[in-house]
Structures are given as C-alpha cells and as structure tokens.
Amino acid sequence: QVQLVESGGGLVHPGGSLSLSCAVSGATLDYYVIGWFRQAPGKEREGLSCISKGGTSTYYADSVRGRFTISRDNAKSTVNLQMNSLKPEDTADYYCAATRRRSTPKSLCEMTQMSEFRGLGTQVTVSS
C-alpha cells in the first residue's frame, strides 16, 4: 500500500523559512511524478511545485517561484520542499501527491493529470 507522510510544518514568522518533507513507502519513488500542494480554508487547492521522476524537470507556481525549492531523493524515498521568505498568505495545509501515470510536473501541479496518492498534510502557519 502506497503511503505518503508529510512532516516539517509549523508556525513561522513572516520572512522565515520552513522545510517540508514527504516520506513515501510501499512504492518505488523512481516511478512517480510527485509534488507539493496546499489548501487554505475557503480557497481552492493549489499546486505549488512538482518534480519529474528523475528530478531533472521541475514546475513552480507563480505564487512560490523564487521562494520555494523542490527536491527529491529516490534512494531515500523522500521529496522535500524548502520554503523561504514565507508570507502570511502561505498559511495553509500542505500535502504531497504523486502519480505513476504518464505525466509532466506541470500537468500534475496544474491538476490536468490527477494524482493517485496523497498524504494527509501538514499545517503551515505564517504569522507574527
């Protein structure tokens, strides 16, 4: 059974940084395009950053480009999201999601290709 478990969320001041991690079990991560998404109360789900199976191609939403960095370690079955220069509007529940189907990072993040697996999420709160 494929499981994705996020960690690293918390409370941070505006301008601060957090590093999120997604641990994947029950599957070989090499076969999956994977990414980070978020959803805040009353707002639509947003695809933030996605990465190709080999890690050579990435996609970033305009809202996070230049501030967030995605990376993956297939040997450790983890995908990380380094978040810098955080803003109050980054406050949301963050989760990782993956697909084994033929997909690009852009199509996964823009949800034209839906994921088959997702984690339960980790809360990020940016507040002074």
Side-chain angles (χ1 to χ4, degrees):
Q1 182 178 359
V2 180
Q3 286 191 316
L4 284 68
V5 179
E6 302 88 347
S7 62
L11 173 65
V12 65
H13 292 311
S17 298
L18 277 177
S19 182
L20 304 183
S21 183
C22 173
V24 180
S25 61
T28 301
L29 184 59
D30 308 53
Y31 299 148
Y32 293 82
V33 178
I34 192 167
W36 286 93
F37 299 74
R38 70 185 178 191
Q39 188 160 23
K43 294 187 178 181
E44 292 188 357
R45 182 176 52 181
E46 181 183 12
L48 304 176
S49 182
C50 296
I51 189 166
S52 61
K53 296 176 184 179
T56 56
S57 178
T58 57
Y59 169 90
Y60 291 95
D62 289 344
S63 59
V64 304
R65 187 175 296 114
R67 300 189 297 125
F68 292 10
T69 303
I70 192 171
S71 61
R72 66 189 292 162
D73 186 331
N74 288 344
K76 295 181 179 179
S77 290
T78 58
V79 180
N80 297 316
L81 186 69
Q82 177 65 39
M83 306 187 296
N84 298 328
S85 303
L86 284 162
K87 306 173 183 179
E89 51 263 43
D90 292 318
T91 295
D93 181 50
Y94 285 67
Y95 65 94
C96 54
T99 181
R100 188 170 173 165
R101 300 189 183 106
R102 184 184 297 273
S103 178
T104 64
K106 184 175 188 289
S107 60
L108 180 64
C109 264
E110 292 185 345
M111 292 173 271
T112 53
Q113 171 63 57
M114 300 306 293
S115 61
E116 297 98 87
F117 309 101
R118 61 159 288 180
L120 295 178
T122 184
Q123 178 67 34
V124 171
T125 302
V126 185
S127 175
S128 55

